[in-house]
Amino acid sequence: MKSSLLLSLALGVSWILSPESLVIAGNISGQTGWLTFPSLIGVVILYVLCNQLLRTEGLPPAPGREFLILQHGGGSITATTLCLAACLPLTVLAGTALLVTAGYTLNEVFLYWFPNFGFSFLLLALLTILQLLRKEYGLWLQVCFVGLAMGGLLTLSLFGVFSPDKPASEILRQSTGFSFSSASLLLLLFVGHGSSLEQKARPFPLALTTGFIIFFLWILASLGHVSPEKLATSTIPYMTAARKILGEPGRQLMGVVIIFGTCGALNGLMILTRNIVDTLSREKTVPAFLSSKKQRWVLPFFLSAAIGTCMATGLAGDELLESLLRSALILWLLYYSLLCLSAVYWVQKVSAAIPYLSLFCTLLLIAACITLVVGDPHRLQMSIFIFSVLFAGGLLSTCWYFIMRHHKHAP
């Protein structure tokens, strides 16, 4: 039981400890000040209610239940499209952004002589090799990655909370008011929180509870040492806060958090992608070479080649990458929203009563998706990317569906 909980936690909080999540948390805390805390509480409660919805009695309890719920609501092609759109672009774009961040961190914090892109490609190679080993090795190393990153961040957070540069009264005055757009961005902090090896339902899921504690402490520590203006505008607010809290040792400790947080986030996303593709293979909506026994010799190389190509062609140094990554995160949120909507439809059919609270939560998620796109300065590029991914995924899913159907009925 303990090992199952530990592995589930390591997968569920993998994105929470990524550099991108720390950037979002830092920027939002700078924009809204202490109002970030009630917004964060609201986001966690929303996810908890959605988690309870997805585990409602009568819904599929087996592994792969998310695909079955989506299939029930929109058919096999729609379910396959959403599953692929949620995991593949996010893994590739997040891998590109996070690996480059880890490379720059090593170069600027620890080894000035080591090429930053050299370290990025080295990490990519090591994480790819890890995917070729037995899945158990990847899971237990995930525990190590997450444990080191979490330990470092909690150490910095506790030092910052118990030795603030500002009194609590000053922190409480740092607020520009509530913003639904900012609260919507906080939803992107918990990507993949449902990735779990444990089937037991809990009132407060372990990953969400842990993530809330981590962000609450870190945001409180950051607001206690850094001005909101710096947090809101900095591209590396986590490093600014770490230096203010513990000086050079804090900067080095944050460097450890960034490097191992990157490893945990990318390894977690690769495992999540493999699990989703494995589910699609079992449901016979993707080709047989992507089955669980064969995919580890295909999928890791595909993902690694895509990430390596993005880094080698200069996308990592382009401002476009930030917009594309944000779009990929919104695609995951859209997938999760439609998953909840399908679950509401299923529950309504089974119980002959509309679950109004669940429906309200689902509509909030959909509204957040729309707000995140419409309110972004790069809304045109983001819209084009999101629709392009959905169109390409739909085309691929349709082709696979008819090919698999033809083979099924072939003599």
Side-chain angles (χ1 to χ4, degrees):
M1 172 63 76
K2 290 182 179 179
S3 63
S4 176
L5 279 175
L6 200 60
L7 293 172
S8 296
L9 177 62
L11 286 176
V13 302
S14 56
W15 180 255
I16 289 170
L17 295 165
S18 70
E20 179 66 17
S21 291
L22 294 178
V23 170
I24 293 173
N27 290 159
I28 295 303
S29 62
Q31 292 170 15
T32 60
W34 69 269
L35 284 176
T36 307
F37 298 119
S39 298
L40 185 62
I41 292 171
V43 163
V44 171
I45 291 175
L46 179 61
Y47 274 133
V48 167
L49 292 173
C50 290
N51 183 75
Q52 291 177 349
L53 166 67
L54 296 175
R55 292 182 179 274
T56 301
E57 187 176 352
L59 295 180
R65 67 181 182 276
E66 294 184 359
F67 174 83
L68 296 176
I69 293 171
L70 283 170
Q71 185 183 45
H72 185 270
S76 295
I77 294 176
T78 300
T80 305
T81 300
L82 289 172
C83 288
L84 294 176
C87 65
L88 291 179
L90 180 58
T91 302
V92 172
L93 293 168
T96 303
L98 300 184
L99 286 172
V100 170
T101 299
Y104 276 106
T105 300
L106 180 85
N107 178 268
E108 294 177 3
V109 177
F110 299 109
L111 302 174
Y112 299 100
W113 51 267
F114 202 99
N116 45 38
F117 272 93
F119 184 67
S120 300
F121 278 101
L122 177 62
L123 268 187
L124 177 60
L126 292 175
L127 290 172
T128 302
I129 292 172
L130 181 58
Q131 304 306 309
L132 302 179
L133 305 177
R134 290 177 58 186
K135 188 174 285 189
E136 289 78 8
Y137 296 130
L139 291 172
W140 283 112
L141 274 175
Q142 179 72 6
V143 174
C144 297
F145 296 150
V146 167
L148 288 167
M150 188 186 300
L153 189 58
L154 285 176
T155 300
L156 282 167
S157 299
L158 292 174
F159 268 102
V161 168
F162 290 109
S163 60
D165 285 347
K166 311 170 190 175
S169 57
E170 184 177 343
I171 295 176
L172 291 175
R173 288 197 299 268
Q174 297 171 352
S175 171
T176 57
F178 173 79
S179 166
F180 184 73
S181 177
S182 298
S184 299
L185 270 174
L186 291 176
L187 289 166
L188 303 181
L189 298 178
F190 298 93
V191 167
H193 68 270
S195 307
S196 176
L197 302 176
E198 184 191 18
Q199 296 301 317
K200 183 179 178 181
R202 295 177 178 274
F204 292 95
L206 189 59
L208 284 173
T209 305
T210 305
F212 170 76
I213 294 171
I214 290 172
F215 283 126
F216 187 92
L217 292 174
W218 177 243
I219 290 171
L220 183 59
S222 299
L223 289 173
H225 288 81
V226 186
S227 68
E229 294 77 16
K230 284 187 178 179
L231 288 173
T233 58
S234 175
T235 56
I236 48 172
Y238 49 82
M239 199 61 78
T240 303
R243 185 195 288 273
K244 287 283 188 178
I245 292 170
L246 276 180
E248 186 59 26
R251 184 169 170 266
Q252 292 174 350
L253 190 54
M254 181 53 74
V256 172
V257 172
I258 295 305
I259 291 172
F260 284 101
T262 292
C263 292
L266 185 51
N267 187 54
L269 285 173
M270 285 184 167
I271 292 173
L272 174 63
T273 300
R274 289 178 61 182
N275 289 341
I276 288 176
V277 172
D278 182 34
T279 298
L280 297 180
S281 175
R282 287 199 307 271
E283 298 299 325
K284 302 189 184 304
T285 62
V286 296
F289 66 82
L290 292 174
S291 63
S292 58
K293 292 183 179 179
K294 300 177 182 178
Q295 65 163 254
R296 81 177 193 184
W297 306 110
V298 178
L299 195 58
F301 287 114
F302 168 77
L303 294 173
S304 178
I307 294 170
T309 301
C310 288
M311 290 196 293
T313 54
L315 179 61
D318 197 317
E319 291 183 0
L320 178 63
L321 178 59
E322 184 179 349
S323 297
L324 295 181
L325 177 54
R326 191 64 57 83
S327 303
L329 289 168
I330 294 171
L331 272 170
W332 177 87
L333 186 59
L334 177 64
Y335 157 84
Y336 191 80
S337 304
L338 296 179
L339 173 65
C340 291
L341 187 62
S342 296
V344 168
Y345 173 66
W346 192 322
V347 171
Q348 187 270 330
K349 285 191 68 176
V350 170
S351 63
I354 300 174
Y356 287 104
L357 180 58
S358 298
L359 179 60
F360 176 71
C361 293
T362 301
L363 293 177
L364 273 181
L365 290 176
I366 295 173
C369 291
I370 297 171
T371 300
L372 288 172
V373 175
V374 174
D376 195 278
H378 304 97
R379 63 182 71 87
L380 179 60
Q381 295 95 319
M382 292 175 70
S383 300
I384 292 173
F385 177 80
I386 290 171
F387 283 114
S388 297
V389 168
L390 291 174
F391 176 78
L395 188 62
L396 198 60
S397 301
T398 303
C399 292
W400 281 343
Y401 175 80
F402 285 107
I403 290 172
M404 302 296 286
R405 188 178 179 183
H406 173 74
H407 284 303
K408 183 178 180 180
H409 292 92

